[in-house]
Every structure is written in C-alpha cells, then in structure tokens.
Amino acid sequence: MVSTLLTPHTLDLSRIRPVIRALQPDLVQWRRQLHQQPELGFHEEATAAFIHQKLSEWKIEHQTEIAKTGVVAILPGNRPGKTLAIRADMDALPIQEENEVPYKSQHDGHMHACGHDGHTAIALGLAYYLSQHRDYAGTVKIIFQPAEEGPGGAKPMIEAGVLKQPDVDAIIGLHLWNYLPVGTVGVRSGALMAAVECFRCTILGKGGHGAIPQTTIDSVLVSSQIVTMLQSIVARNVDPLESAVVTVGELHAGTAENVIADTARMRGTVRYFNPQYRGYFHKRLEEVIRGICEAHGARYDLDYWQLYPPVVNDAAIADLVRSVAEAVVETPAGVVPKCQTMGGEDMSFFLQEVPGCYFFLGSANAQLNFTYPHHHPKFDFDETVLQIGVEMFARCVETFLRDKQ
Ligand code: NI
C-alpha cells in the first residue's frame, strides 16, 4: 500500500491544470497530424521523426531507433530520486478510415483506430510540460513504443535496455477508452487485461464420396467435435471463480455438398487473467484435439503460441494512480474500478519487469457521436481527453517523484 504521504491530496498540484489546459490546442494539432499519417507496427518512421523533431525543438534528451522505431525521452528533475517511466504506443491499424473529418487518414488502408495517436500526443504534451517544470526528485523516461497491435514492440524495447540506465523503478501507461465516457478513469490493482494466446490447427482426415463415409475420415465431423469439446475447458477445467475464454474464430473445410472433406483448418484465441494458467490451455487444447483425432483415426497439426501475458497492475502504483484520478476527475464516481477486459496489451511485458499501472482513460462522448469501439473504421474520440491524459501523467510524476518525507 502507498503511504498516505504519497497521495496527491497532501500536495498542491492544482497549479498543473491551467498550464496543461493552455497546451490543449497544441495537443489537438499534434494528434490530428499523427492521425493523418498512421503507420503500422515497426514502420512508424514519420511518427518517430515527428516525435524526434518536437523533442529536439524543446531540447529534451532522447534516443531514437530503439527496437527499430521506438523513441525514449529522458527528463531529469532538478534533484536526484527515483525513475518513473511513462509508456505510450504509437502504431496504427490496417483499417480503411470511414470518418469524414478534416484530419482523416491520408494513408489508404491504414488508420489510427485505437487511439494511439492520442497516446503519442499526450506523451508529447507531458514531455513538453516536464521540460518546463523540472521541480521533481528523480527522472522521467517517456517511452514511445512501436507495434503494440502486433507483433509487439514492448519486448524488443526492454531487450534494448529501455528500463536500464537509469534503472526504472515504476512504469505507468494509459489507454484511451471509448467504453467509458470522457472525464472518467478506469483503474484497478491486479489483472486489468488478459493474456493473449493463439492457435492454428489443421485436422488431417481422409476425403471421399459423401455417400460412402465408411471409407473416409470426415474432417468436418472431427473438427466440429473439437470446437464443441474445447468449450468444456472453460466450463469444466478452469476454476469457476477465474475468467477465461476459448474462441475458435475460423473453421474452414470442404468444397462440395457431396464430398467428405479431407482436411479442416481452424484458428482461435485463448484469454485469461491469472498468470498461473500460463501453459495450461496449450496442454488441455492439445489433449482435446489429440483425443478426438485418435478416436476417429485422424491426424492433426497444431501451432500454439503465447502472444502477450496478462496486464497485471501493482497494488501500490494502482493506488497512486487511483488517488491521482480522484483529484483529476474531481468526482469519486468518475473513477471506475470495474474495468477489466479480455483484450490484451503488450504493456504487460513492462509490468513483468517493474511494478506499475496501466489504466483506461474514458474518451467516449455520446452527444458528439464518439461512441464507436476501438478498431472500428469510424472510431474517433473526444479530444478533451488529451489534456486530461497529460494532467493524469503530470500528477503521477509529481506524486511518485516527490521528496521523501
Ligand atoms: Ni490500443
């Protein structure tokens, strides 16, 4: 638990707000510029160049080309202390934008449909603010991370040493969240987002005439039984007090109504919160597939991989973020603890290395029609969230990096 001395209520951070409010026109402009030039994972060259240009303009020490396109800004305070990292992802998605707005994507087939343009603008706003307000004990590292949407930029950035020199004591990140209204913050300790695992399986049967099944091994029948039986893993193997999902999202087999299909292909995803289940679903999935295939005399070819671990927040840092959120949104109702999702995020790799907290920043506004979900071709958000994001981070910095009492 964080001691009460660390809560922002004992600090006068109210001076932060007017300074950051004044940044809002810039935040909007940066976000819109980034929105017009969306780039996919590990191709964020123009984005990284934009960040580099701004950081250079503001005379902020930084490194570029970390894990290809990643950028890290280093902002020492005016006295020594701990190091806090702030993480922002900056990649876009292979989606054709359907919004008719002046800042519409200029890259055909690519779109900032998850709000990472906002994350980057918020992190830039924080960098600028901190460059002008160095009154904190310690160092802030701002990590601009590539490829969150895949294949994952957090891990290669950690391998490149972004959590070292100076060693990071804690990390905080946010995701704009259109499932919450603007002016709210979703934060909780423990698991916030799920582990993401994926599989691909081919069932190898024996094709033949649709009217002469006795000479065949029907891959449609085998795969159907596998899909059904896989649901029993969550229903009958997982502790009912835990949460997990097994989804078969693709199943392809057959070419004609009177032909028994030789092969069937399926792809799916597994999600869970409790890190103890790591490895478990792979094992059970293979047991189910093997057992059913053996019963039918079919063979199989299974690929299973773990993409991201669960996003698990440290209790003390989550408490710090929650108390900052209460000060920023000024109403306890605006801090939402029930905000878990089975979505995944590679922020989890950072949180495996150092204690930290990832939180959701409400960005929906029904009146302005900003209600489309993330990854939708009409996704957009209420830009007032940008100044709220900078204020959240700035107060987290000044709360975490305060002098020892
Ligand atoms: Ni995202």
Side-chain angles (χ1 to χ4, degrees):
M1 293 289 287
V2 165
S3 79
T4 49
L5 286 175
L6 266 176
T7 70
H9 303 299
T10 57
L11 289 172
D12 179 22
L13 298 182
S14 54
R15 62 187 162 72
I16 290 178
R17 182 164 299 170
V19 179
I20 289 170
R21 284 244 167 107
L23 269 182
Q24 177 67 4
D26 291 316
L27 293 167
V28 169
Q29 193 208 321
W30 303 335
R31 181 264 163 161
R32 292 184 177 192
Q33 182 166 340
L34 293 163
H35 191 84
Q36 287 178 66
Q37 51 174 44
E39 296 171 300
L40 300 185
F42 293 127
H43 295 281
E44 304 92 340
E45 282 99 8
T47 306
F50 180 73
I51 294 165
H52 167 65
Q53 180 217 322
K54 290 289 171 204
L55 296 176
S56 305
E57 202 178 295
W58 304 330
K59 302 191 170 33
I60 295 170
E61 180 191 344
H62 63 283
Q63 288 170 270
T64 57
E65 293 178 30
I66 302 172
K68 289 190 184 158
T69 46
V71 181
V72 175
I74 298 179
L75 290 124
N78 59 9
R79 51 196 190 275
K82 292 185 174 179
T83 297
L84 177 67
I86 299 291
R87 176 270 205 174
D89 45 8
M90 53 184 191
D91 57 321
L93 286 154
I95 292 175
Q96 179 67 41
E97 175 153 19
E98 288 178 12
N99 290 313
E100 290 308 328
V101 287
Y103 49 92
K104 183 177 179 169
S105 167
Q106 293 173 358
H107 294 182
D108 234 22
H110 295 170
M111 177 189 176
H112 267 296
C114 198
H116 300 187
D117 49 345
H119 302 169
T120 305
I122 289 170
L124 277 173
L126 177 74
Y128 177 76
Y129 172 81
L130 294 177
S131 72
Q132 305 296 308
H133 301 84
R134 302 262 189 177
D135 187 23
Y136 50 88
T139 302
V140 177
K141 265 189 195 181
I142 303 181
I143 298 173
F144 295 91
Q145 182 211 297
E148 187 283 321
E149 302 287 0
K155 212 169 175 216
M157 282 197 101
I158 293 165
E159 284 161 4
V162 294
L163 297 177
K164 305 271 171 222
Q165 290 182 327
D167 290 359
V168 169
D169 294 292
I171 187 161
I172 296 176
L174 65 78
H175 206 300
L176 301 190
W177 209 236
N178 262 17
Y179 306 101
L180 290 173
V182 70
T184 60
V185 176
V187 60
R188 70 192 308 284
S189 68
L192 180 81
M193 300 179 81
V196 181
E197 304 185 344
C198 303
F199 60 90
R200 189 165 42 210
C201 183
T202 305
I203 306 302
L204 305 154
K206 189 176 164 203
H209 197 294
I212 312 173
Q214 70 275 23
T215 64
T216 71
I217 298 170
D218 183 356
S219 68
V220 169
L221 181 64
V222 176
S223 57
S224 307
Q225 290 178 346
I226 289 171
V227 171
T228 309
M229 180 76 171
L230 287 179
Q231 293 308 315
S232 76
I233 299 176
V234 173
R236 283 298 173 264
N237 301 139
V238 172
D239 180 341
L241 299 180
E242 297 281 351
S243 300
V245 178
V246 175
T247 291
V248 177
E250 281 186 42
L251 178 57
H252 307 281
T255 52
E257 79 279 4
N258 59 352
V259 174
I260 287 174
D262 186 59
T263 57
R265 289 182 185 82
M266 60 178 82
R267 274 152 52 105
T269 186
V270 170
R271 308 291 170 103
Y272 57 87
F273 288 127
N274 190 336
Q276 287 180 346
Y277 279 111
R278 184 177 168 86
Y280 179 75
F281 285 92
H282 183 184
K283 179 177 150 283
R284 275 302 289 144
L285 200 106
E286 179 137 27
E287 284 168 357
V288 166
I289 293 170
R290 189 194 310 130
I292 291 173
C293 281
E294 266 175 24
H296 290 277
R299 290 175 299 121
Y300 68 91
D301 187 11
L302 174 67
D303 280 330
Y304 192 102
W305 62 100
Q306 287 154 337
L307 201 60
Y308 298 159
V311 173
V312 181
N313 286 338
D314 176 79
I317 310 292
D319 269 355
L320 184 152
V321 172
R322 187 185 304 115
S323 56
V324 164
E326 281 167 5
V328 171
V329 304
E330 288 175 341
T331 150
V335 182
V336 185
K338 285 191 176 172
C339 54
Q340 277 176 308
T341 166
M342 281 285 171
E345 243 287 344
D346 73 347
M347 176 73 181
S348 51
F349 288 109
F350 290 115
L351 294 170
Q352 282 186 333
E353 299 295 317
V354 289
C357 178
Y358 197 55
F359 65 94
F360 295 129
L361 197 58
S363 53
N365 186 329
Q367 270 106 51
L368 300 176
N369 214 20
F370 295 128
T371 49
Y372 285 97
H374 296 256
H375 296 208
H376 190 283
K378 288 188 173 172
F379 174 82
D380 202 353
F381 58 84
D382 185 335
E383 288 170 325
T384 53
V385 77
L386 299 173
Q387 67 188 39
I388 301 173
V390 180
E391 187 179 343
M392 280 294 301
F393 278 153
R395 287 180 185 244
C396 284
V397 165
E398 296 193 10
T399 306
F400 187 77
L401 296 180
R402 64 194 303 246
D403 297 301
K404 285 207 180 73
Q405 301 274 318

